[in-house]
Amino acid sequence: MDVIVIVTLVIVVALVFDFTNGFHDTANAMATSVATGALKPRTAVLISAVLNVVGAFLSTEVAKTVSQGIIREGEDGVSISPTMIFAGLVGAVLWNLATWYFGLPSSSTHALFGGLIGAAIIGAGLNSISWATVVSKVVLPALLSPVIAGVIALVATYLAYVLTKNATTHGAATGFRHGQTISASLVSLAHGTNDAQKTMGVITLTLIAADYQAAGTGPALWVVLACGLAIGLGTYTGGWRIMQTVGKKISDVQSPQGFAAETSSAATILISSHLGFALSTTHVTSGAVVGSGLGKKLADVHWSVVGRIVVAWVVTLPAAAVVGALATWLASTSTIGLVLVAVLALAGGLGFWALAKRKPISQRDMTDEPTERAEPQPTGTSN
């Protein structure tokens, strides 16, 4: 099959992945704001979509990590082919759809990297991967970022309740809800600077592998624009299944906790994007929500839900790698194998969509009950 056809196919699938990344990760920015009533669901996803697009233009450091760091360059250039990249993307898209269906906030980042690593190992061997880069800029951030964000959110939540006398001061809850509009917007902006760039890096890597772009160069303007629009459009569709998990099932989030979780998430993601760390924004925000739950006295953290999320985190990269490896093995056999992978991927995607239609979750499920309850008054005070 002509190289241009395969490259075009890769670009299309990469943008589909970017779209799934958008609705998969909407919860990262807006779940707590919607859960506390700070923002209406549709307003929240519109703000998030716009700021994801804006964030895509702010930096390309993470894109360079993907296009220049993970896949090793040999004497003849990068050792991964467009066919392998296509197969890796198939693994990432299918894993994103599977975890979205089950409402699990797994990492789109690790799904992408897992798919690419599995494809590269089967197609080009173990030496095609820069394992030092994988460890320093993918694995270590994955381990540290949720802990860091969680600790910051815990401390911030504790201080928020102490400084406002457990949020019973007049207007405190309202003030925190208004603050959430800003903090949630910052998370959306940060998400665009980190997650949109990963697809930019994949497309750039494809163009370099096909000799359509010089090695060592960053993403072209049309790549930045296309990826920003794709992730923004995906974000606007909502991703209510995962938003319900993050906003309602991890902890009973109230406005001071939501503000603390979002602020700590935004700071962690923005700093990491500047340093070129391709971390998981899902790990960061989930860790921050857990921290905000622990920071409030007598708050409940639903550890069974947290346990399911952690299992999904651990399984994501190897699961996507296995799918990417199998897809590479089949796609590399012949043109028929490549077409068969595309058909199977389409069937798998439509299958998850059909299953989701049987058990729909909409924005109404985020607002079907009050989330901001009045705090108990101290003994001896009047209502």
Side-chain angles (χ1 to χ4, degrees), residues 11-191:
I11 292 173
V12 170
V13 177
L15 294 177
V16 169
F17 167 78
D18 214 20
F19 179 83
T20 66
N21 190 347
F23 70 71
H24 196 281
D25 289 3
T26 305
N28 295 345
M30 292 299 175
T32 53
S33 291
V34 174
T36 62
L39 289 169
K40 298 294 184 184
R42 190 50 65 184
T43 302
V45 295
L46 176 60
I47 293 173
S48 186
V50 172
L51 290 175
N52 263 286
V53 176
V54 173
F57 286 87
L58 296 184
S59 172
T60 58
E61 291 304 314
V62 175
K64 291 176 182 176
T65 296
V66 177
S67 64
Q68 301 172 22
I70 297 218
I71 305 300
R72 196 189 307 276
E73 285 197 38
E75 295 181 357
D76 299 323
V78 292
S79 52
I80 192 170
S81 69
T83 299
M84 298 176 206
I85 297 173
F86 164 74
L89 284 168
V90 166
V93 170
L94 290 179
W95 184 254
N96 261 3
L97 291 174
T99 50
W100 162 75
Y101 171 71
F102 289 106
L104 291 174
S106 69
S107 171
S108 296
T109 300
H110 290 175
L112 175 61
F113 290 156
L116 290 177
I117 289 171
I121 290 174
I122 294 299
L126 286 169
N127 290 332
S128 64
I129 306 295
S130 176
W131 296 106
T133 301
V134 171
V135 171
S136 64
K137 294 204 170 184
V138 178
V139 176
L140 287 180
L143 297 175
L144 296 177
S145 59
V147 177
I148 293 171
V151 170
I152 295 173
L154 186 155
V155 174
T157 300
Y158 175 78
L159 291 176
Y161 278 101
V162 169
L163 294 176
T164 59
K165 298 180 181 179
N166 289 333
T168 58
T169 302
H170 177 70
T174 301
F176 278 118
R177 280 198 295 270
H178 289 314
Q180 276 193 274
T181 303
I182 298 173
S183 59
S185 298
L186 284 174
V187 177
S188 295
L189 188 69
H191 185 264

Side-chain angles (χ1 to χ4, degrees), residues 61-372:
E61 291 304 314
V62 175
K64 291 176 182 176
T65 296
V66 177
S67 64
Q68 301 172 22
I70 297 218
I71 305 300
R72 196 189 307 276
E73 285 197 38
E75 295 181 357
D76 299 323
V78 292
S79 52
I80 192 170
S81 69
T83 299
M84 298 176 206
I85 297 173
F86 164 74
L89 284 168
V90 166
V93 170
L94 290 179
W95 184 254
N96 261 3
L97 291 174
T99 50
W100 162 75
Y101 171 71
F102 289 106
L104 291 174
S106 69
S107 171
S108 296
T109 300
H110 290 175
L112 175 61
F113 290 156
L116 290 177
I117 289 171
I121 290 174
I122 294 299
L126 286 169
N127 290 332
S128 64
I129 306 295
S130 176
W131 296 106
T133 301
V134 171
V135 171
S136 64
K137 294 204 170 184
V138 178
V139 176
L140 287 180
L143 297 175
L144 296 177
S145 59
V147 177
I148 293 171
V151 170
I152 295 173
L154 186 155
V155 174
T157 300
Y158 175 78
L159 291 176
Y161 278 101
V162 169
L163 294 176
T164 59
K165 298 180 181 179
N166 289 333
T168 58
T169 302
H170 177 70
T174 301
F176 278 118
R177 280 198 295 270
H178 289 314
Q180 276 193 274
T181 303
I182 298 173
S183 59
S185 298
L186 284 174
V187 177
S188 295
L189 188 69
H191 185 264
T193 67
N194 201 284
D195 278 47
Q197 288 189 57
K198 293 155 192 170
T199 307
M200 296 179 207
V202 169
I203 294 176
T204 302
L205 178 64
T206 303
L207 296 174
I208 292 172
D211 291 327
Y212 290 132
Q213 186 170 325
T217 56
L221 178 60
W222 70 267
V223 174
V224 176
L225 179 61
C227 292
L229 291 175
I231 201 169
L233 183 60
T235 301
Y236 184 69
T237 63
W240 309 112
R241 307 180 83 86
I242 296 176
M243 193 178 291
Q244 184 186 55
T245 299
V246 176
K248 287 179 171 286
K249 294 184 179 180
I250 293 178
S251 179
D252 184 18
V253 178
Q254 298 184 12
S255 52
Q257 296 165 272
F259 177 76
E262 291 162 358
T263 303
S264 61
S265 297
T268 304
I269 296 168
L270 286 170
I271 292 172
S272 299
S273 296
H274 177 71
L275 296 175
F277 292 145
L279 54 72
S280 166
T281 56
T282 302
H283 288 191
V284 172
T285 53
S286 298
V289 171
V290 172
S292 70
L294 294 173
K296 180 179 181 292
K297 186 178 181 180
L298 301 180
D300 289 328
V301 174
H302 305 140
W303 292 109
S304 61
V305 177
V306 174
R308 290 176 59 216
I309 293 172
V310 171
V311 170
W313 288 0
V314 173
V315 171
T316 291
L317 196 149
V322 169
V323 178
L326 292 174
T328 298
W329 173 78
L330 182 57
S332 299
T333 57
S334 64
T335 300
I336 295 176
L338 179 63
V339 173
L340 185 57
V341 168
V343 171
L344 290 174
L346 180 61
L350 291 175
F352 283 119
W353 177 80
L355 289 172
K357 294 291 285 183
R358 294 176 62 183
K359 294 182 179 180
I361 295 177
S362 69
Q363 58 183 329
R364 291 195 187 98
D365 295 292
M366 294 297 299
T367 57
D368 58 358
E369 60 185 35
T371 57
E372 193 70 42

